[in-house]
Amino acid sequence: MTLAFDGDRLLAAVDVARTALVEDGQSPGRHLESTPEGEWAVAHYFEADLSGYRGWQWCVVVAGAPGSDETTVSEIVLLPGEGSLLAPDWVPWNERVAAGDLSPGDVLAAEPGDHRLVPNQIDTGDEFRFDDDRTDPDDIGQIAGEVGLGRRRLLSPEGRDETAQRWHDGQYGPHSDMAAAAAFNCVTCGFYLPLAGALRPAFGVCANEYSADGHVVAADYGCGAHSDVAAPRGEGSPAYDAFDDGALEIVPATANAGGDPTS
């Protein structure tokens, strides 16, 4: 007599295979597939999140026997997946770097032809020499700094527009959840410090330590900490819950042993 093999049971033994990997000290990812291997075995494949093994997979082979309901783990092996032995397509570093990648000690140079920057006048130190005592060099120096003297490159119109769009669409822009729930805009807030230059009408810096302190915010952004927000009325929350007289149980007076109900 020939006993039929229950292949569906081995194909469904995903938990058995995953448990074997965990007990072996591994951290398998999602289950990828189950593949029959011969008449009495099935191979289960899992993602392998291992440093240096991009695209590799864990393979766990489970087996059974005719007339038995037991599932046996036969083998655990790490195998390369499709394309894992090939180097990925080369991507230049300036296309791989993303916002937030810069860490202390890193150097990130702007390319000479960066479209976000344009050449600027260079301060040689000879522009502001005065023979009289009526002009304060510090005042002139402040103006020079605002117009960009002393910096080799400045924001180009394209760079400025990209920055403005990024800020406008970001966390502190007018379309954020915080701004949608606010009653007032930042441009009318006492904590709002407008930027200098061409971005002044649209952006500023928040000086409220309880809100977006130190962040660039859109003029039409807003939050609940606006300087004109009125304080809630009333004396605040009570220290104790109100006493409910309606919860008292009224008990009729009864005469005492002496017959005097008031004694």
Side-chain angles (χ1 to χ4, degrees), residues 143-166:
I143 297 174
E146 290 182 359
V147 300
L149 290 178
R151 288 179 282 168
R152 295 184 179 276
R153 290 193 285 180
L154 297 176
L155 270 180
S156 65
E158 292 83 358
R160 184 177 62 242
D161 292 345
E162 289 179 7
T163 300
Q165 191 65 54
R166 187 171 63 250

Side-chain angles (χ1 to χ4, degrees), residues 155-203:
L155 270 180
S156 65
E158 292 83 358
R160 184 177 62 242
D161 292 345
E162 289 179 7
T163 300
Q165 191 65 54
R166 187 171 63 250
W167 289 347
H168 182 272
D169 297 339
Q171 179 181 355
Y172 302 107
H175 303 303
S176 63
D177 292 339
M178 181 72 78
F184 304 100
N185 295 130
C186 288
V187 71
T188 61
C189 181
F191 295 107
Y192 181 75
L193 303 174
L195 296 183
L199 295 179
R200 180 183 180 90
F203 298 98

Side-chain angles (χ1 to χ4, degrees), residues 91-102 107-108:
V91 179
W93 70 268
N94 58 337
E95 297 179 17
R96 285 184 278 120
V97 175
D101 287 347
L102 193 66
V107 176
L108 180 61

Side-chain angles (χ1 to χ4, degrees), residues 70-87:
E70 295 186 0
T71 300
T72 302
V73 176
S74 299
E75 185 178 16
I76 297 176
V77 64
L78 184 63
L79 298 175
E82 183 178 357
S84 62
L85 299 181
L86 300 175

Side-chain angles (χ1 to χ4, degrees), residues 111-122:
E111 295 182 351
D114 194 322
H115 72 280
R116 300 171 300 171
L117 299 169
V118 292
N120 184 40
Q121 300 293 331
I122 304 301

